[in-house]
Amino acid sequence: MEAIQTLKAWVDEARAIVFFGGAGVSTESGLKDFRSVDGLYREKFDYPPEEILSHSFFLRDPAYFYRFYREKMLALDAEPNAAHRTLARWEREGKLLAVVTQNIDGLHQKAGSRRVYELHGSVYRNHCMQCGKAFGPEYVRDHTPLPVCDACGGLVKPDVVLYEEALDDGCIRGAVEAIARADLLIVGGTSLTVYPAAGLLRYYGGSRLAILNRDATPMDDRAGLVIREPIARVLDQMP
């Protein structure tokens, strides 16, 4: 495939790659994405997933939130796929500046990546809303129906960005700086419809933008390469 060969050449010549990824990066690790035809948002629940994953719903009905969260979001047994492993290798080789991800699953770090900007937080960080004590994801998984703090009895909340919540300023700054420095920006597994995260791409001023996504995105016409193949399969072929 000509586009794959072009991407190989771009990767080989690059010295400052940034990867911007979404839920589609983790589907080959067994996790569901959100907006595709068989994604999470197409399933039937008592409430729309966007409502369940909102700050106001979390406060209103934390028991239902946690039932959904444990079943659909907390995939602690998932393992990195070839995409995660390739990106970690590029970082070790000094070719990759950073991973900017909308995912909360921690699979990039599990594969060995260190410079990861988690725009929407992580299931691996949790805190008591009352005293601030930190908890691991196993605590949230194992304490049902509600994970309450063993120190003060307050409700434990995942450090994930829910609807109605703002993204972390420091994370945004780091992601913007990395994207602005990139000589190759690879976008994978994201519909580029979730803002403000998708808006970060405007800080890329380079000429080599590659989009790896099975569905069309609003940025396709600005990309030098658009590849519809599975992301792990494509990155596994890269130098």
Side-chain angles (χ1 to χ4, degrees), residues 201-221:
L201 268 62
R202 72 179 184 271
Y203 293 99
Y204 178 61
S207 59
R208 292 185 168 181
L209 170 62
I211 295 181
L212 284 57
N213 199 57
R214 72 179 191 179
D215 300 316
T217 81
M219 293 287 290
D220 285 0
D221 60 347

Side-chain angles (χ1 to χ4, degrees), residues 13-41:
E13 296 165 6
R15 297 294 177 266
I17 302 171
V18 169
F19 181 83
F20 182 99
V25 179
S26 296
T27 54
E28 289 167 88
S29 292
L31 281 68
K32 283 207 169 191
D33 65 6
F34 293 91
R35 290 172 175 79
S36 66
V37 291
D38 53 354
L40 190 61
Y41 286 2

Side-chain angles (χ1 to χ4, degrees), residues 7 17-22 25 100 102 179 184-192 198 201 204 208-213 217 219-220 223 225-227 231 235:
L7 183 59
I17 302 171
V18 169
F19 181 83
F20 182 99
V25 179
V100 181
Q102 296 169 283
I179 291 170
L184 169 58
L185 179 60
I186 302 175
V187 177
T190 171
S191 62
L192 295 177
L201 268 62
Y204 178 61
R208 292 185 168 181
L209 170 62
I211 295 181
L212 284 57
N213 199 57
T217 81
M219 293 287 290
D220 285 0
L225 284 175
V226 176
I227 300 174
I231 300 161
L235 293 189

Side-chain angles (χ1 to χ4, degrees), residues 31 48 143 161 188 194:
L31 281 68
H143 286 73
V161 179
V194 177

Side-chain angles (χ1 to χ4, degrees), residues 4 6 14 50 73 83 90 132 138 142 151 154-155 160 182 188 201 206 215 230:
I4 298 288
T6 300
E50 296 97 327
M73 313 295 289
W90 287 348
E138 294 83 7
D142 297 339
L155 182 63
V160 299
L201 268 62
D215 300 316

